[in-house]
Amino acid sequence: MTLHADWKPAEEVAAEIAADEAALSRIVVDLWERVEALEREMARLRQGPVRSDPW
């Protein structure tokens, strides 16, 4: 195994990994909220058109 002079300290790598995990977590939450909103919209559309005229 070859050692590279540009290797980072373990603490720096751990901090970068933690930042990446936090960013991914925010992305997952955002996508989950979008999926839920789409599911609500699909359920609303399945109910058919809304008639304002009761006759």
Side-chain angles (χ1 to χ4, degrees):
M1 183 176 208
T2 304
L3 295 177
H4 297 282
D6 61 346
W7 278 15
K8 299 177 185 178
E11 297 81 15
E12 187 177 344
V13 173
E16 289 177 0
I17 291 171
D20 288 346
E21 288 176 348
L24 287 172
S25 179
R26 288 189 298 272
I27 291 168
V28 168
V29 168
D30 178 61
L31 289 173
W32 187 260
E33 291 170 349
R34 290 177 188 219
V35 167
E36 288 178 331
L38 286 171
E39 288 175 340
R40 287 191 301 272
E41 182 67 9
M42 287 171 44
R44 185 187 70 78
L45 291 172
R46 280 192 208 102
Q47 294 175 357
V50 176
R51 293 186 48 160
S52 59
D53 181 8
W55 306 104

